[in-house]
Amino acid sequence: MAIFSYAMFQGGFVSWFLFYSTTILVVLMLLYAAIPLGSFHVSRSIGNGALTAGSELKITVTIRRKWPFPFLYLSVYDDVGSRLLKQAPMNRSRMIFYPTIKRELEYSYVIPEVNRGEYSLHGVHLETSDMFGLFQKKKFVSLEETILIYPNYHEIEHWTAYERHEAETRMSSLDFIEDVTSVAGAREYEPGDKLTSIDWKVTARSNKLMTKEFEEYYGQNFLVVLNNYLPEDNYQTIEAYEKSIELVTSIVMHANRKQHLLGLWSIGTVSSIYPLDSGTEHQKRIVRHLSKVEGIFNGDFSGAIQEYEDQIPNGITVIIASTEITDAMLERLRIYLSRRIKVYFCLLDRGTNSDPWEEKRVKELKRYGAEVYLLSGGNLDHAIPS
């Protein structure tokens, strides 16, 4: 009123310009106060399809509003949780929009190499105010979502654990195979028998061509054991553990492609046991677990697996992925080997953080009859037999 009175009595361009300018600012401030942020509709979209570790994760936030009223600014912050936020470039999940009459606003940000894991995304924070900060408005839009980033894996083309049983695996589709380690007796040779199955010692004694008879059982069975106990809390050990996850995932994918029977024992404070099975659903359950499992520092792997070792059938092939080998583990593996369990031990290289006694334990394990691999990565095609 004071400015209006001044303009009426004073007259002139300056006084009326001051009056109209002030009036516009006051009206805008009242409109800012009147228009609720609840009229903003917020949505979030997350890439397309399943993502594996190391992939690019793109997140897009879209804000729609009913009235194209120009605000001074609109600050938008996507709360994606601390675990995912640590991997995002600084402040990429935050955006400030300046005056516009667009009804739809959108921005995207990218996490270049997302890590394996399950992530909880919470919601979007909106904030705006007038130019003097008298009417400040904030709103939180809940958009609870979960993202599951699957482990990376490698195509296994050549590995002796599978090559050695390739012929038997082809026969497993007929539900029966011959276990070349279990000779039940001998019989006379019949046309069609494998030449590799001829028992030359019995043939020499009987002067007849004799063929070995084998015990029969269903399928070729592989049990993968993942050691979730980590000896140290440092970058190299955590990286080695992630490579062990990649290794196990690679074996699971390969087994599913080749239609092998496969089980997984994920050994930790709370162990997860997936019995021998095959098929896509079985593979999905295991891979989902491998996506979410986390390493545990300073635990007793040998004591934890001892609770389940009575469930290991004789004649099975056990594949163990671990970031360490201890004396207690060595003793447990010696017992498995004495039960005619074939053991493949995959030791993930921790670099300079490796135990200097591990080389001695590896040699001892090899002397017991296990196949030992030292891996600097998760790909068995590049494994180094110890």
Side-chain angles (χ1 to χ4, degrees), residues 325-343 360-372:
I325 179 170
T326 64
D327 290 332
M329 292 169 64
L330 185 64
E331 177 59 23
R332 299 253 57 85
L333 295 176
R334 185 190 65 77
I335 294 173
Y336 302 161
L337 291 163
S338 69
R339 292 172 50 187
R340 293 179 51 240
I341 296 171
K342 183 64 179 177
V343 175
K360 179 180 178 182
R361 297 186 189 111
V362 164
K363 290 180 179 178
E364 192 72 8
L365 181 58
K366 189 175 180 182
R367 188 176 66 83
Y368 290 155
E371 297 262 358
V372 185

Side-chain angles (χ1 to χ4, degrees), residues 28-29 32-33 37 69-75 99 126-138:
L28 287 175
M29 289 175 61
Y32 272 113
L37 286 182
F69 180 77
F71 43 75
L72 182 65
Y73 75 91
L74 179 65
S75 175
L126 303 175
E127 181 179 344
T128 188
S129 74
D130 62 273
M131 65 180 63
F132 301 110
L134 297 177
F135 301 104
Q136 191 173 36
K137 293 189 174 185
K138 296 181 181 180

